Amino acid sequence: MPELLIRLNIGREMSWLEDSNIDNFSIIAYSTILESFPKKLTTTLLKIGKPYIIDPFTHIFGYEVKDISEKRWFPKLMHAYGLDYIIPSDKNTIPLSKLLDTKKQPTKDLKSFVENVMVYQRNAIQDVYNEISEFEEFEGKSEHTTFSPKCILAPYFYLGYDSEDWIKVNIHCIKSAVSMKQNKEKVYAVILIDKMILGISSDIDEIIKNYDIDGIDGYFVWITDFDEKTARTAELQAFIRLVEQLSKFKKPIYNMYGGLFSFLLHTKGITGACHSICYGEHKDPFLIGGMLANVRYYQYDIRAKIPYSKIHEIETTLALTKCNCEYCNELPKARDNIGKQMELCGKHFLLMRTKEITEINTATSKVLTNMKEMYEKSEKNDAVSAYKSFYGQLETWVKVFGYNAKL
Amino acid sequence: MSIKEHELYGTILATGPFKEHNFFFEIQVGDWTVSRKRIDLVTKTNNQLIGIEVKVADWKTSLKQAYSNLFAVDYSYVAVWHDTIPKMNLNIFDEFGIGVLAVNDTCDVIQKARKSHLTVKEKKKYVKKQCEIQEILLCQNS
């Protein structure tokens, strides 16, 4: 069964998840979110009782991001990762020379950074829990509660053109992390690659071969701002190729930011994908923060997020099935309440996504056939092509799978 | 000659089929959520709302917008620069009951709009309210 990892970003999403009716999923949260909402995230993890991963978000210390030091979590993470002593006081990034020596070997600073990042992921939630449980009463509180992440992510940095030194840093970080594993702990690598080099198969092969590391337990792949919905056929094919190359190492592979297309790649070697609740299926690592201002609704027939205000016109024009799940039935009552609309649309999305994953697990080909039929029906009904941007991806996805079937 | 979209507005208002009516500009179609969708021109006649999408040459985009307007108004039109008319597939406008206006020195009806059967009561009410708000603001500023 493809695995769903839900990325939690804000407090209200944590509450939605607490009372949603879905079951098979894990949680992933940035360390920045843990630093921003420590208590809420910890109590949510306690209430939900699902496996979790803390994304250490270390790439932000690899390049200059405007105004990042003004974020409240920034100095906290600097301290937690022991970077106060590594990053010069007038900078926000780690100088390469602090991580690699002149012979391109790992420095002591690199090893201590890796250790700190691992210790943080291992203990941060437990530490918050211990702190709050000492003074507060809350649901699920117990003296013997222990938290440990599903896996630990080795520190990672962005790989673009001419990133040879950063590849070395990433590999040294992974090797150090593997050597510091405790008990049955699992260590995963994050491969963050620029979308621009996705299509250069020789570069991809060159990068991938470095990641065949003894003791590594799996991979998270992050292609910068790779949007499955708008990606061209060739880009999707290049992504599949990358997954197939990586799957030769016979370890689990997750798409760090993916959606339905990634789950469909279960047959090609993808174990699962991470996304937020009805958004966050692609991410540009150079952009930090930003909130979802619009209410978006997941239209199951066309597998697309559509603006809330367009639900009626799109469903009417394309003759799509109107969902009558418990959340959709409540939507008309939320006419003047954007917060409630977001909550209901979010819960509806989770319900649909878990349904899709089950369907993919049962018969991927049936899902693809359904997509093909739905594309043809939508195209026929959309006589003025007013809504093609909402269902056009179905044609591309089906085509990509057809292409691969011929190979 | 390079014509800009807003340069067509004056002719539509002064010589078009609705010249006797008040016009409202850039009217939002819903507050369900943060919506960027606006109708270029809206006018009222009795209890009926008429929406007009104005484009110089890009008639395909105007068709999509005018189609979407069918959910918010009673009659939906596109107004284009007269040179664009021969390039347009008028049958598809007719199929959906979308009216077509040609703008030159005057604004002439090429094809009359038919009453929309897709209008959503709630959306129409919202558009009407936006027109009323604009009317009040205009009165206050004049």
Side-chain angles (χ1 to χ4, degrees):
Chain A
M1 176 92 119
E3 286 180 35
L4 169 63
L5 281 85
I6 299 172
R7 183 177 292 101
L8 292 176
N9 291 324
I10 41 179
R12 66 171 178 233
E13 293 172 349
M14 299 176 200
S15 302
W16 300 347
L17 206 54
E18 284 168 21
D19 56 14
S20 74
N21 292 327
I22 63 162
D23 193 27
N24 292 320
F25 66 95
S26 301
I27 305 277
I28 184 163
Y30 302 130
S31 52
T32 58
I33 298 300
L34 175 55
E35 290 304 325
S36 306
F37 308 100
K39 191 175 146 187
K40 179 65 185 165
L41 181 59
T42 304
T43 52
T44 296
L45 291 175
L46 184 70
K47 279 185 199 166
I48 293 173
K50 294 289 179 189
Y52 71 90
I53 297 167
I54 301 297
D55 177 350
F57 218 61
T58 47
H59 65 283
I60 48 154
F61 297 106
Y63 48 76
E64 286 289 342
V65 177
K66 200 171 171 255
D67 300 332
I68 198 160
S69 57
E70 289 165 17
K71 304 277 180 194
R72 272 189 299 172
W73 47 259
F74 190 81
K76 293 179 187 174
L77 280 185
M78 282 258 285
H79 182 69
Y81 296 166
L83 294 173
D84 328 44
Y85 305 105
I86 298 176
I87 295 179
S89 57
D90 60 334
K91 299 267 182 209
N92 296 327
T93 56
I94 312 172
L96 204 54
S97 60
K98 292 277 186 183
L99 301 172
L100 295 178
D101 64 19
T102 49
K103 290 176 184 164
K104 309 291 181 194
Q105 290 304 305
T107 60
K108 277 184 185 169
D109 282 342
L110 181 141
K111 288 174 186 168
S112 82
F113 167 61
V114 172
E115 188 177 13
N116 290 332
V117 170
M118 291 181 78
V119 167
Y120 180 86
Q121 293 176 69
R122 207 177 276 143
N123 301 332
I125 295 284
Q126 187 72 52
D127 290 348
V128 175
Y129 178 79
N130 293 345
E131 203 174 304
I132 56 175
S133 64
E134 201 174 325
F135 304 105
E136 294 178 36
E137 287 299 324
F138 49 84
E139 193 187 327
K141 181 178 165 178
S142 153
E143 279 177 24
H144 308 292
T145 303
T146 54
F147 290 89
S148 56
K150 178 185 166 91
C151 66
I152 291 204
L153 306 186
Y156 61 94
F157 296 95
Y158 161 81
L159 301 176
Y161 291 113
D162 303 323
S163 290
E164 278 175 34
D165 285 344
W166 285 108
I167 291 179
K168 287 190 175 79
V169 169
N170 280 329
I171 300 304
H172 286 311
C173 285
I174 296 163
K175 285 180 176 169
S176 291
V178 167
S179 72
M180 293 176 205
K181 270 191 202 181
Q182 285 184 357
N183 305 322
K184 290 178 180 172
E185 207 165 61
K186 289 188 183 339
V187 169
Y188 277 53
V190 179
I191 310 174
L192 165 55
I193 308 177
D194 198 294
K195 188 168 70 174
M196 299 300 283
I197 53 174
L198 184 62
I200 311 169
S201 52
S202 54
D203 284 12
I204 292 292
D205 293 351
E206 197 60 34
I207 291 172
I208 295 301
K209 76 177 187 194
N210 287 290
Y211 284 84
D212 186 10
I213 298 166
D214 278 347
I216 193 80
D217 296 292
Y219 305 94
F220 279 80
V221 177
W222 177 2
I223 309 298
T224 62
D225 209 20
F226 182 69
D227 183 356
E228 299 169 351
K229 191 173 173 288
T230 55
R232 288 172 292 124
T233 309
E235 289 175 322
L236 294 171
Q237 284 164 349
F239 181 66
I240 293 176
R241 191 179 173 282
L242 183 153
V243 171
E244 286 172 339
Q245 291 292 99
L246 204 53
S247 66
K248 287 176 185 164
F249 304 150
K250 307 214 177 298
K251 304 279 165 62
I253 304 166
Y254 295 88
N255 189 356
M256 191 63 119
Y257 297 90
L260 185 61
F261 181 79
S262 293
F263 294 110
L264 286 166
L265 292 183
H266 190 54
T267 52
K268 309 274 179 202
I270 283 247
T271 311
C274 322
H275 57 64
S276 302
I277 303 177
C278 212
Y279 68 97
E281 295 185 0
H282 58 98
K283 185 174 171 64
D284 182 342
F286 300 102
L287 295 175
I288 305 293
M291 295 294 296
L292 191 69
N294 291 346
V295 183
R296 298 199 296 176
Y297 176 81
Y298 191 70
Q299 218 303 329
Y300 172 80
D301 278 356
I302 54 171
R303 325 280 179 166
K305 301 174 198 84
I306 60 178
Y308 183 80
S309 60
K310 282 184 179 285
I311 299 173
H312 175 76
E313 64 183 85
I314 292 176
E315 288 185 341
T316 304
T317 304
L318 306 183
L320 305 175
T321 314
K322 289 183 193 304
C323 177
N324 65 2
C325 73
E326 55 179 306
Y327 308 118
C328 290
N329 288 340
E330 235 187 284
L331 264 176
K333 293 181 213 154
R335 169 70 179 83
D336 297 313
N337 187 342
I338 287 183
K340 191 70 183 169
Q341 288 168 11
M342 281 188 166
E343 178 187 342
L344 293 170
C345 288
K347 287 178 176 173
H348 158 80
F349 170 76
L350 290 171
L351 208 58
M352 294 301 109
R353 180 47 44 92
T354 45
K355 180 180 167 188
E356 285 172 334
I357 291 171
T358 307
E359 286 168 351
I360 288 169
N361 190 48
T362 312
T364 305
S365 60
K366 206 172 160 189
V367 176
L368 288 166
T369 307
N370 173 270
M371 284 179 175
K372 187 174 179 285
E373 287 167 0
M374 209 45 77
Y375 173 77
E376 287 163 357
K377 177 182 161 187
S378 299
E379 197 191 28
K380 188 170 152 248
N381 291 329
D382 186 18
V384 302
S385 288
Y387 307 107
K388 192 159 184 182
S389 60
F390 296 107
Y391 63 83
Q393 79 286 354
L394 297 177
E395 185 192 29
T396 317
W397 291 357
V398 168
K399 202 166 139 191
V400 166
F401 275 89
Y403 170 87
N404 273 280
K406 279 177 205 156
L407 281 177
Chain B
M1 190 170 76
S2 171
I3 304 282
K4 296 272 187 300
E5 194 175 296
H6 67 267
E7 289 173 335
L8 307 187
Y9 282 32
T11 313
I12 299 168
L13 266 57
T15 70
F18 314 108
K19 61 185 176 193
E20 309 297 332
H21 300 93
N22 286 335
F23 275 90
F24 307 94
F25 304 86
E26 297 289 324
I27 292 296
Q28 198 177 331
V29 297
D31 69 346
W32 281 263
T33 175
V34 186
S35 169
R36 276 172 295 182
K37 166 75 182 149
R38 303 275 193 283
I39 306 176
D40 290 335
L41 294 171
V42 175
T43 186
K44 288 188 287 184
T45 155
N46 300 322
N47 197 30
Q48 309 288 290
L49 287 181
I50 299 150
I52 305 175
E53 285 298 333
V54 185
K55 281 274 180 290
V56 176
D58 186 1
W59 66 271
K60 286 181 180 167
T61 299
S62 75
L63 171 63
K64 291 174 191 179
Q65 291 169 336
Y67 176 84
S68 189
N69 291 348
L70 291 169
F71 290 86
V73 296
D74 298 291
Y75 295 91
S76 180
Y77 278 88
V78 299
V80 295
W81 182 240
H82 68 105
D83 280 355
T84 308
I85 299 288
K87 299 167 196 161
M88 294 168 69
N89 176 0
L90 292 176
N91 290 336
I92 198 158
F93 286 84
D94 184 48
E95 191 184 326
F96 294 102
I98 297 167
V100 179
L101 306 174
V103 186
N104 189 359
D105 296 333
T106 57
C107 173
D108 303 308
V109 180
I110 302 297
Q111 201 161 272
K112 233 178 147 189
R114 291 196 304 275
K115 179 118 172 56
S116 167
H117 57 88
L118 295 170
T119 319
V120 178
K121 212 168 90 185
E122 231 175 7
K123 279 200 176 192
K124 181 182 164 183
K125 199 174 152 192
Y126 183 82
V127 170
K128 211 170 158 187
K129 198 176 162 194
Q130 294 304 303
C131 294
E132 284 161 9
I133 291 169
Q134 201 172 89
E135 201 164 23
I136 292 166
L137 290 173
L138 279 171
C139 288
Q140 283 174 350
N141 292 335
S142 61

